[in-house]
């Protein structure tokens, strides 16, 4: 079972030549007995790997040694690469990785029979990530702060992270100290770090309520490390409770400042946000009546306000309240579950432009209603090309043409790719492409 001459030193060890990179970012070797997926490899690599259990798609393997490097292999910039589950692609030259991401988008669209023009991928840089979720664990005297290992619950303790904005990276060591002061033995918590315009916002998720001593340790941590706000909640659905606030975390969108609620969505990199907003604003053109669906705190609604009146719809009560507080006369905001109650055809009448930016599951129901509408232009922002392609098919079947797709590498060194797609209603509602 080898793509070249087999030479194994143990029954489950094998030499392979990687010929492609698969959809999850692993190198793929095509062998007589199917595909073998070897993480952290690039095309042209000759590797020694240990085979796992064969599955439906192929056989996963563990990389043991790179015996000869492929043409576009580079030295990974981060010492934790390979162990830490945060990154998959640091070993690959950036331009190759971006081309691969574009090809993933093209292939995903083709699977739905869509042959749309896909632009080159908008790149982001190391040190730009302004939002991250870390795991923190205290086990006897050992404290771990980092991302989970690949396919495992183990936490890889990281001293530094090349992805994070330096302001967030500088908190790793203080967080480790806080963990040993505040957490009980064998306790594990998640922490969301968000870098806002007015400082860092931290949200801890832990199963039990902080004691008075823990609360004061957190408050002291905020003061010592100039953290704008610290909150905690029982789980991702729980109501956040404030532990310390030195500044109100806020972000400016389209020149308007919004007070961010704890744990609220924010595009993970400013470069990616700027690229997405530029595409959406350009697609809106001279539209006067605009809908922003899945609006969050107004990333798109507020820049669009400069030329149009906007009605924003969003499921999270906290995001709706924040956006309402920031809104001027031309912005109206409505809390609505768009999965259960998508906007219907009659509610889409007299609308010039719609932007929608749903979660990973996409917007199946809303896309069906949009497909039946006469809205002239739709910008669909997506963090999941698979659900985007499904919904794009629905829109195209409803008479839209997918005229432009811009992939955005918001999550550098991961296999994820985000995108914005622009749809135009074809004249006479004819089927698009
Ligand atoms: C990918 S975020 C985009 C937010 C915003 N457009 C931005 O760029 O900051 C998706 C948003 O959809 C909201 N959401 C998730 N499920 C929803 C639903 N069923 N109905 C309405 N909004 C929902 C989330 O609260 C979140 O704000």
């Amino acid at each position: 079972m080898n793509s070249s001459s087999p030479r194994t030193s143990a029954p489950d060890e094998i030499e392979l030549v990687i010929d492609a990179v698969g959809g999850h970012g692993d190198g793929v070797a095509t062998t007589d007995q199917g595909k073998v997926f070897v993480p952290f490899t690039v095309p042209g690599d000759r590797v020694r790997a240990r085979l796992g259990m064969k599955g439906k798609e192929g056989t996963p393997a563990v990389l043991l040694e790179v015996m000869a490097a492929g043409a576009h292999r580079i030295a990974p910039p981060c010492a934790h690469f390979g162990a830490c589950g945060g990154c998959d692609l640091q070993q690959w030259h950036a331009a190759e990785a971006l081309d691969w991401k574009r090809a993933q988008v093209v292939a995903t669209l083709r699977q739905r029979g869509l042959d749309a023009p896909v632009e080159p991928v908008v790149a982001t840089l190391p040190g730009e990530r302004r939002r991250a979720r870390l795991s923190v664990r205290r086990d006897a005297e050992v404290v771990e702060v980092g991302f989970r290992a690949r396919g495992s619950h183990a936490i890889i303790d990281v001293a530094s992270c090349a992805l994070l904005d330096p302001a967030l990276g500088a908190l790793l060591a203080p967080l480790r100290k806080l963990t040993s002061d505040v957490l009980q033995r064998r306790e594990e918590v998640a922490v969301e770090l968000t870098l806002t315009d007015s400082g860092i916002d931290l949200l801890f998720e832990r199963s039990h309520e902080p004691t008075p001593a823990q609360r004061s340790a957190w408050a002291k941590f905020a003061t010592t490390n100039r953290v704008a706000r610290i909150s905690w909640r029982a789980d991702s659905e729980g109501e956040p409770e404030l532990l310390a606030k030195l500044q109100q975390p806020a972000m400016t969108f389209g020149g308007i400042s919004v007070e961010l609620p704890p744990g609220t969505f924010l595009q993970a990199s400013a470069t990616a946000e700027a690229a997405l907003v530029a595409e959406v604003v350009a697609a809106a053109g001279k539209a006067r009546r605009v809908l922003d669906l899945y609006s969050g705190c107004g990333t798109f609604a507020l820049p669009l306000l400069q030329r149009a009146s906007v009605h924003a719809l969003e499921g999270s009560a906290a995001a709706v309240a924040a956006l309402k507080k920031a809104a001027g006369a031309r912005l109206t905001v409505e809390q609505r579950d768009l999965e259960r109650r998508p906007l219907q055809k009659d509610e889409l009448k007299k609308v010039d432009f719609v932007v929608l930016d749903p979660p990973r599951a996409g917007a199946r129901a809303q896309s069906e209603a949009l497909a039946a509408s006469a809205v002239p232009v739709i910008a669909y922002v997506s963090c999941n090309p698979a659900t985007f392609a499904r919904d794009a098919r629905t829109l195209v079947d409803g008479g839209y043409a997918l005229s432009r797709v811009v992939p955005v590498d918001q999550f550098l060194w991961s296999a994820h790719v985000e995108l914005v797609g622009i749809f135009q209603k074809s004249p006479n509602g004819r089927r698009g492409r």
Side-chain angles (χ1 to χ4, degrees):
M1 180 173 173
N2 197 341
S3 55
S4 58
S5 55
R7 187 167 62 88
T8 56
S9 46
D12 58 349
E13 285 182 22
I14 189 167
E15 275 183 36
L16 297 161
V17 176
I18 303 300
D19 48 48
V21 172
H24 299 295
D26 292 348
V28 184
T30 308
T31 74
D32 298 345
Q33 286 158 56
K35 290 180 174 173
V36 180
F37 297 97
V38 192
F40 317 124
T41 58
V42 305
D45 276 353
R46 184 173 191 85
V47 301
R48 198 163 58 82
R50 181 179 302 122
L51 297 173
M53 288 280 286
K54 189 169 180 171
K56 233 170 42 192
E57 312 270 312
T59 306
V62 175
L63 175 65
L64 298 174
E65 183 189 355
V66 178
M67 303 166 78
H72 301 293
R73 170 170 280 281
I74 57 166
C78 176
H80 305 289
F81 181 66
C84 172
C87 292
D88 310 298
L89 299 173
Q90 285 191 10
Q91 77 290 5
W92 210 6
H93 193 281
E96 298 295 315
L98 291 178
D99 284 351
W100 172 80
K101 290 196 178 194
R102 182 182 174 278
Q104 293 299 303
V105 172
V106 170
T108 308
L109 290 172
R110 288 220 173 116
Q111 280 166 12
R112 295 280 178 175
L114 298 168
D115 195 9
V118 178
E119 298 296 311
V121 181
V122 175
T124 61
L125 292 173
E128 282 194 355
R129 184 78 71 80
R130 62 185 182 187
R131 204 173 134 236
R133 184 180 170 89
L134 299 178
S135 296
V136 173
R137 181 174 157 84
R138 180 177 170 206
D139 197 352
E141 296 316 311
V142 180
V143 172
E144 290 158 334
V145 176
F147 296 96
R148 293 203 183 278
R150 220 175 195 247
S152 148
H153 287 298
I155 298 169
I156 301 301
D157 189 44
V158 295
S160 64
C161 171
L163 284 174
L164 293 182
D165 184 287
L168 296 182
L171 265 195
L172 291 171
L175 269 176
R176 196 168 287 106
K177 167 82 174 66
L178 176 78
T179 303
S180 63
D181 293 348
V182 166
L183 262 57
Q184 293 161 356
R185 287 179 178 214
R186 296 208 177 78
E187 189 182 353
E188 187 177 316
V189 302
V191 54
E192 280 184 19
L193 300 85
T194 308
L195 180 60
T196 74
D197 289 346
S198 46
I200 294 173
D201 194 18
L202 293 184
L203 174 61
F204 287 84
E205 275 174 22
R206 70 190 309 229
S207 50
H208 43 278
E209 187 147 340
T211 63
Q214 290 169 342
R215 283 174 191 270
S216 68
W218 259 308
K220 193 167 155 215
F221 176 85
T223 315
T224 313
N225 296 287
R226 297 210 191 102
V227 171
R229 177 174 66 186
I230 304 183
S231 320
W232 83 280
R233 64 182 172 190
D235 55 46
S236 59
E237 304 297 311
E239 196 56 39
E241 189 200 316
L242 191 64
L243 290 168
K245 185 156 118 180
L246 272 63
Q247 289 277 335
Q248 170 61 53
M251 289 304 285
T252 300
F253 303 118
I256 299 171
S257 178
V258 184
E259 296 183 359
L260 292 191
T264 200
F265 181 88
L266 179 69
Q267 299 290 346
S269 117
T271 304
E273 179 193 301
L276 294 171
V277 169
E279 284 297 325
V280 168
V281 169
K286 294 189 174 143
R288 311 289 305 179
R289 289 152 304 180
V290 166
L291 290 176
D292 179 0
L293 312 183
Y294 304 91
S295 67
C297 286
T299 303
F300 302 111
L302 295 172
L304 286 165
L305 260 193
Q306 287 162 10
R307 289 202 214 146
S309 31
V310 181
H311 184 55
L313 295 106
E314 158 65 40
S316 150
V320 165
L323 190 51
K324 271 189 177 160
K325 199 168 167 191
R330 290 166 74 196
L331 177 67
T332 49
V333 191
E334 178 182 343
Q335 186 183 0
R336 180 152 164 176
D337 184 331
L338 293 166
E339 188 58 38
R340 289 197 189 160
R341 279 203 317 127
L343 287 182
Q344 294 304 310
K345 196 177 165 189
D346 56 335
E347 295 173 283
L348 295 164
K349 272 187 198 153
K350 298 189 187 155
V351 171
D352 303 325
F353 177 75
V354 170
V355 52
L356 72 162
D357 181 14
R360 284 188 68 74
R364 189 196 291 268
Q366 187 57 78
S367 299
E368 282 165 11
L370 282 166
S373 79
V375 175
V377 185
I378 296 170
Y380 187 140
V381 179
S382 166
C383 54
N384 183 349
T387 54
F388 171 81
R390 178 200 68 204
D391 296 343
R393 182 75 254 168
T394 303
L395 290 170
V396 168
D397 288 346
Y400 281 90
L402 177 52
S403 57
R404 181 175 167 85
V405 177
V406 182
V408 178
D409 190 18
Q410 173 125 254
F411 291 94
L412 177 67
W413 294 327
S414 81
H416 288 285
V417 58
E418 311 215 334
L419 60 84
V420 52
I422 310 300
F423 297 85
Q424 256 122 10
K425 193 88 193 186
S426 308
N428 313 319
R430 268 190 281 120
R431 254 175 90 107
R433 59 174 177 172

